Amino acid sequence: MEDPAAEAARLRGEIAHHDQRYHQLDDPEIADAEYDALVRRLRQLEEAHPHLVTSDSPTQRVGSAPSALFAPVAHAVPMMSLENAFSFEELQAWGERISRRVGEASAFVCELKIDGVAMSLRYEEGRFTRAATRGDGRVGEDVTANVRTIASVPERLQGELPALLEVRGEVYMPVSAFEALNRRQAGAGGRLFANPRNSAAGSLRQKDASITASRELSLFIYQLGAVEGGRALSTHSQTLEYLAALGLPVNPEIRTVDTLDEVYERCRWWLEHRHDLDYEIDGVVVKIDDLAVREELGATSKAPRWAIAYKFPPEERTTKLLGIMVSIGRTGKATPFAQLEPVVVGGSTVAQATLHNEDQVRAKDVRPGDTVVVRKAGDVIPEVVKPVLAERPPGLTPWPFPTDCPRCGQPLQRIEGESDTFCSNVDCPAQRRARIEHFASRGAMDIEGLGERTALLLLDHGLVTDPGDLYRLSPSDLLGLEGFAEVSVRNLLAAIEASKERPLANLLFALNIRHLGPAGAQALARAFASLDAIVAASEVDLAATEGVGPVIAASVARFFALDRNRELVDKLRAAGVDFGRVEEPALPQVLSGRSVVVTGTLDAYPREAAEEAIKARGGRAPGTVSSRTTALVAGAEPGQAKLARAVELGIPVLDEAGFAHLLETGELPVTGGAPGADR
Ligand code: IVH
């Protein structure tokens, strides 16, 4: 067992190192969760052995010393950190500590915990005069010129102006802007940012403000600093309303609730919906609403007692990269992926993670043997973010992207102007297996019991070479194969037989034509009514179909021009596969080509049913509002960000009755016009 004093010293050393990587270099080596674990362990040790506490321990201070790159700025009111809670019990314990000091709190404000860079903005007589980072909480860095380039930072405030106003908030980079920036960086061979927060920090830490200006940064204000004059305020929610009225960007997702049960409900709701937002949040900040009660509660040396951050479980963790492999998909696409020492991240155990393509591997330069940061966010497939260079063992060499297909040995080819690499051998066993698996999958021919394992078995025994051969299988072919007995043979053959009756759209999708997804297949099926008509159609005819663009049309024409694909069609015809089963849409397609976003709770439809109703009428039901949105349907407790965006873009906002009308007729209800549309 390590001696507590030695362990505390070691932990402080490690924490100081990671503080420097995070605050000075904007290039953390470890995930936040691992950093938090180090600080937690140190706090545990200090609680068990109070004589080990030192005044400069990371548990006693905030942030890190300001860098020499920017002029120092002393904060008139210190910028504090927040205490964290990772469970409902920890939230309750916080509530109990408050009750003991000031009696039971009656109102809590729940805000999003924006994952960005803390900033203090100063306004004198309503004019923006200075911006400073948090630094060590007392002294920060003067980044005025850089922050001035951020579009959402008002140069002048309006309304009941205080003589002096310092506000605190978070500078962040929207996720879409972060992804676009990394795509540009990868294309130009530049440095990739690990996540939106690092890219916001890196974009702010520029001597040349024009670089900051070229990055799409934004800001939310959530707290008052020093203030002289202005409106008298008695609650935090009033304060936020006042700041918004002055013209400052206040996050719209704010809710005041009465009990900690409701606070926790809000935290869980946001845990589910965090990825609906175009900015990253890492928790919910809970604040006592009553400013007099806050005053009474005061602060520790590090954090106010009147607020706590409920932190979400981590979506990034570090683990060992055991090896890099390349998988070959049904179109021949070669995707590099990492084999990892299993790690729990984003709510599940991850042992493999994608590396996307050759450019990404090169830009990230992860090497087998590295410790790497792995990320699994929401529904997105897990990915390797970057290596932890400080932990790289000596002698590791860069991983070379293979020149030949790892399965068939034929050369891999990269299409000019694209980032993907392909195995060009259509007879490659890996592609064959993936094509058969896709043919049998749900949404395609839906052949129950024909998955990866069976596809491989059939290919390995030479029983099939393409999906057309499935219809020639006999019981004697299958009996005796590993895992097959009389009943399973009968079931598989019955499932194959039943698949002959699938709709034309499924059959088209099953054929594995590049770029052709289920929606394009459906559009072609409805327009041409038979597979033979599609095979015979010219590229121009195909492109004239609504819902089929020139890329899909060219790809379909190219596919059927190849002899081998025509032979496949012949095999399917000979087997008796139905080429002309077109499913008429059950409902009039009044929303065809339209996009309707649903937010909040509707009486007549649970969320999924509302989205199904839109899709059943030919519409799309995406999760975010954009300029292409036809209408936003807002039920009870709608997402404030979606509402604000719709109003900003002049998109009609419908209530439940308006939605019913839209579903029935495809028409927007006639009202005074969209909110804000004629202003
Ligand atoms: S209030 C004295 N509210 O989280 C209280 N902070 O982990 C000051 N943060 O330093 C903080 N969203 O940089 C507050 N809605 C929010 C926040 C928020 C993000 C950041 C802030 C703070 C850090 C603590």
Side-chain angles (χ1 to χ4, degrees), residues 455-479:
L456 204 59
L457 211 58
L458 297 176
L459 280 164
D460 283 353
H461 285 79
L463 293 169
V464 298
T465 56
D466 69 25
D469 295 335
L470 291 171
Y471 297 100
R472 296 179 178 167
L473 290 172
S474 68
S476 59
D477 289 334
L478 299 175
L479 263 175

Side-chain angles (χ1 to χ4, degrees), residues 62 78-84 110-119 134 168-170 220-224 236 251 282-287 294 302-304 306-307 309 311:
V62 171
M79 286 181 79
M80 302 196 101
S81 179
L82 288 173
E83 195 189 324
N84 291 329
C110 301
E111 296 174 11
L112 299 182
K113 185 164 168 4
I114 315 293
D115 200 4
V117 181
M119 193 61 63
R134 184 167 73 179
R168 269 78 200 260
E170 203 86 352
F220 284 126
I221 296 297
Y222 44 66
Q223 199 61 47
L224 216 49
H236 180 62
N251 186 284
D282 59 342
V284 171
V285 181
V286 189
K287 299 172 181 174
R294 283 193 186 192
K302 197 182 170 193
W306 44 260
K311 295 261 280 214

Side-chain angles (χ1 to χ4, degrees), residues 366-387:
V366 282
R367 307 177 184 186
D370 265 336
T371 296
V372 293
V373 177
V374 178
R375 180 175 166 83
K376 179 169 188 305
D379 305 333
V380 182
I381 48 171
E383 68 163 349
V384 174
V385 177
K386 60 177 206 154

Side-chain angles (χ1 to χ4, degrees), residues 322-343:
L322 304 174
I324 301 178
M325 319 266 278
V326 169
S327 74
I328 303 293
R330 62 189 167 94
T331 57
K333 189 167 133 188
T335 305
F337 67 96
Q339 289 203 297
L340 305 164
E341 216 165 78
V343 60

